[in-house]
DNA sequence: CTGAAAGCGCTTACAG
DNA sequence: CTGAAAGCGCTTACAG
């Protein structure tokens, strides 16, 4: 069934059928009804490729999940507690707005080209990029092609400086505020020996959380100690090894701030195996508030990152930008919230 | 940049450019190289809409997640521990094969039409449908249009009887074997009073798990008791209420078989609040082996459903079917595996 | 208000 | 082996 068939059946031309479908104002109510009736009767929907080719939108957005770090490990996207709900939330939100979502995962530097390619092939009207190590080069190239892009967790300064012009929105959360709050909470409980299990520092949130941790300690008259400065890279396995090494030194802080919950849960696993009690012997704090955070025992004290709101905002922004061809780089920041559960207590 | 530009730059016709791109055999190596060089130089990729319109594939598959039951609740797909990894695994597998994935969520009966519409609009070459209450009517209609479909968790008999003809593959797991194994495990530990927290019975796996539970008890000379036959509908909230009511009766079984892990975890929450110890006072068994199952305390004894393998198989099958226009309905069954952890022990 | 026609960017018989 | 031409199914100036 093509528009021509509908036209014949309704006794009008293809032009009129198209006008009805695209809701043009200059078609009389009676004609519209007549055409609509046939369309409905035959369950007709225009061929999306033909529409797109003739100049209409694809009504599709691309969602690109970048996770280079985990490329060769078993920890692919589908096991990632952070991205998984984000993907689902984007799909939900976009579908509710009648937009299709093409999801792509980027596992290697070589795969970055796929982002550009998807746009070159005109498969989508706009894109959302989330993940670690987002390639600024690709972002600049897509921006130069004129496609709207929403980027999650990226330094706004870097974008401004390195991309310059484009239709770009950057969404971050208040990692600084969140870090400050949870460190202050530890400080106020009486902790002075607070270690850190840091995330990836080529990640904006990784850097902010790390730097805010240090700044907050120093502001409170405490010098961060190198031996409690662990690198976990946001990855469970690496975090686990770092904590094992820490335990071996026999010199534990009274609290450990883990820059994401995945690492915090890994740390708790190691400590539990070593018979070190959380929170009695050591307090563990996380970040993100992923779903398992409330399920582990003791339940994790952490900073809630509003991942669903971020996803919703990303879709809203990207759809808004499709209709607006103005070159414009904007930044949005979503509120984090301290979530106090059971994994932290006063030091003994 | 269009194929015509490439043609001009390479000194050939559009036909030849197309032949090179589509890897036709009848173009001399030298011509091929010449064209390829220009293509690479300008980073050209054909417009996907134009290709599709001219008769090529879309290189896109649709993934439809149906979860009607959760329509009006806060528990949308993105919070679902079962579908989430499935979505991610399908994307991973398909992307690795160079295929795009259009993901759609179906939350209301009205949304079923979207599945058909996506095919009518020619947005994809084939589809994978997963979830609860998959609409056989829509499946039959899409099948009648000739599109390949892979359906997860559906009664093969129903498909055969109600759809009849189509390019359809059904994938299930060995829910019968899995249920039998975990019930036998409980029985062998000495349990005789084994209750069930059942799933949705309009779901194939829900029915099989329920029926196999009953059958296994009866085969072992035990009559299932009505007061321990709880309806949880696979949904945390409903399961919770059912367990609360059970606890109120004061008449607990020594073991409770929960037809999915989500419900098992809910049950453990309720019991923990009521100060009933798992596994000392009551053993809890689950099904699915979702990620939190190993994280809760006590870690959940459950049946592992190979969700990643199912996703991989679904992609493999669907891609295979795209090239093969034979009408054929086939069935695949993936192996489950008993996973013994800490939530079950001998009855006192 | 409405239709005929051009055009979107490809692929694929067809003819040579 | 290769090009000219038709055609895929739409949308949109254009002309009336």
């Amino acid at each position: 069934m093509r528009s021509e068939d509908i036209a014949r059946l309704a006794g009008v031309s293809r032009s009129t059928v198209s006008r009805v479908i695209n809701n043009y104002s200059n078609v009389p109510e009676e004609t519209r009804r007549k055409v609509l009736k046939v369309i409905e009767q035959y369950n007709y929907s225009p061929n999306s490729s033909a529409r797109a080719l003739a100049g209409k939108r694809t009504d599709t957005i691309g969602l690109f999940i970048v996770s280079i770090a985990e490329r060769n490990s078993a920890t692919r996207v589908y096991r990632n507690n952070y991205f998984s709900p984000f993907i689902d939330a984007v799909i939900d939100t976009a579908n509710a707005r009648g937009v299709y979502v093409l999801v792509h995962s980027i596992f290697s530097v070589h795969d970055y080209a796929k982002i550009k390619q998807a746009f070159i092939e005109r498969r989508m009207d706009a894109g959302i990029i989330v993940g670690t190590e987002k390639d600024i080069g690709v972002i600049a190239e897509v921006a130069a092609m004129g496609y709207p892009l929403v980027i999650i967790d990226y330094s706004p300064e870097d974008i401004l400086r390195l991309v310059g012009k484009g239709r770009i929105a950057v969404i971050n959360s208040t990692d600084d505020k969140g870090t400050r709050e949870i460190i202050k909470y530890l400080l106020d409980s009486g902790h002075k020996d607070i270690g850190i299990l840091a995330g990836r520092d080529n990640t904006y949130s990784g850097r902010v959380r790390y730097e805010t941790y240090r700044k907050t300690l120093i502001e409170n008259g405490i010098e961060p100690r190198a031996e409690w400065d662990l690198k976990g890279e946001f990855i469970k396995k690496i975090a686990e090894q770092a904590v094992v090494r820490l335990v071996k030194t026999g010199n534990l802080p009274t609290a450990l701030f883990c820059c994401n919950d995945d690492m915090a849960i890994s740390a708790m696993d190691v400590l539990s195996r070593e018979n070190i009690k959380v929170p009695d012997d050591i307090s563990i704090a996380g970040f993100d508030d992923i779903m398992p955070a409330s399920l582990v025992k003791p339940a994790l004290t952490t900073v809630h990152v509003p991942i669903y709101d971020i996803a919703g905002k990303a879709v809203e922004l990207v759809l808004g930008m499709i209709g607006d061809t103005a070159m414009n780089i904007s930044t949005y920041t979503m509120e984090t919230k301290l979530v106090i559960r059971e994994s932290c207590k006063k030091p003994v």
Side-chain angles (χ1 to χ4, degrees), chain A residues 81 182 196-198 232 234-240 243 256-272 278 282-290 292-293 296-303 341 343-344:
Chain A
N81 291 312
I182 201 160
I196 185 170
L197 185 46
F234 280 149
I235 294 171
K236 288 179 94 74
K237 209 79 197 164
I238 298 178
E240 197 175 317
V243 176
L256 183 64
F257 168 55
C258 306
C259 287
N260 75 5
D261 290 348
D262 263 344
M263 297 196 297
I265 291 170
S266 281
M268 282 171 49
D269 275 354
V270 172
L271 295 167
S272 158
V278 176
I282 183 171
S283 289
I284 297 291
F287 211 111
D288 284 350
D289 195 25
I290 59 178
V296 292
K297 289 268 154 62
L300 194 60
T301 289
T302 188
V303 177
R341 295 204 185 93
S343 64
C344 299

Side-chain angles (χ1 to χ4, degrees), chain A residues 9-263:
Chain A
L9 258 16
V12 297
S13 72
R14 275 147 68 220
S15 315
T16 298
V17 171
S18 179
R19 288 190 189 100
V20 169
I21 286 174
N22 292 298
N23 239 310
Y24 284 19
S25 56
N26 56 352
V27 21
E29 203 41 52
E30 179 161 4
T31 310
R32 182 182 304 277
R33 245 198 302 273
K34 192 170 60 180
V35 174
L36 245 24
K37 198 179 147 207
V38 179
I39 287 177
E40 196 153 333
Q41 185 178 347
Y42 289 89
N43 214 314
Y44 167 76
S45 251
N47 179 309
S48 59
S49 294
R51 289 194 97 184
L53 193 57
K56 279 290 181 188
R57 298 175 183 169
T58 62
D59 291 324
T60 303
I61 60 175
L63 174 58
F64 300 94
I65 317 293
V66 184
S67 55
I68 304 292
E70 285 138 279
R71 181 189 181 187
N72 292 315
S73 86
T75 321
R76 309 267 293 203
V77 164
Y78 54 69
R79 295 188 186 264
N80 191 303
N81 291 312
Y82 186 82
F83 294 139
S84 232
F86 185 84
I87 299 175
D88 299 343
V90 165
I91 291 166
D92 276 8
T93 316
N95 283 180
R97 305 270 227 112
V99 173
Y100 289 82
V101 183
L102 218 38
V103 190
H104 228 97
S105 45
I106 310 293
F107 284 121
S108 70
V109 175
H110 175 258
D111 282 355
Y112 277 132
K114 286 188 187 168
I115 301 181
K116 226 174 55 180
Q117 188 173 349
F119 282 104
I120 290 177
E121 292 178 0
R122 298 281 191 281
R123 288 186 182 269
M124 50 196 64
D125 302 324
I128 297 174
I129 306 181
V130 65
T132 56
E133 301 188 57
K134 295 167 287 296
D135 181 15
I136 192 113
V138 169
I139 290 169
E141 288 184 76
V142 173
M145 288 193 275
Y147 291 103
L149 234 35
V150 171
I151 314 163
I152 319 294
D153 188 19
Y154 214 102
S155 155
E157 294 75 35
D158 284 359
I159 289 290
L160 240 24
R161 188 162 45 83
L162 299 169
V163 177
K165 260 191 159 42
R167 298 158 69 190
I168 298 182
V170 183
I171 307 181
N172 290 309
S173 47
T174 56
D175 295 287
D176 45 358
K177 187 197 91 172
T179 304
R180 188 173 307 269
E181 279 179 2
I182 201 160
I183 299 295
K184 280 288 279 175
Y185 166 71
L186 257 14
L187 253 11
D188 292 348
S189 308
H191 289 279
K192 292 191 184 332
D193 298 344
I194 304 174
I196 185 170
L197 185 46
R200 295 181 80 70
D201 62 4
N202 47 7
T203 261
Y204 184 59
S205 55
R207 288 198 302 275
V208 171
R209 293 173 195 180
Y210 179 72
E211 282 158 20
T212 307
Y213 153 82
R214 292 181 62 87
K215 207 182 305 176
T216 307
L217 284 193
I218 291 167
E219 283 169 8
N220 285 273
I222 296 173
E223 190 57 34
R225 301 251 295 264
E227 66 267 37
W228 294 334
D229 189 323
L230 316 184
K231 307 292 179 213
E233 303 282 327
F234 280 149
I235 294 171
K236 288 179 94 74
K237 209 79 197 164
I238 298 178
E240 197 175 317
Q241 294 161 356
V243 176
V244 166
R245 279 194 303 272
L246 173 68
V247 170
K248 280 220 183 85
T249 67
N251 174 26
L252 296 186
T254 61
L256 183 64
F257 168 55
C258 306
C259 287
N260 75 5
D261 290 348
D262 263 344
M263 297 196 297

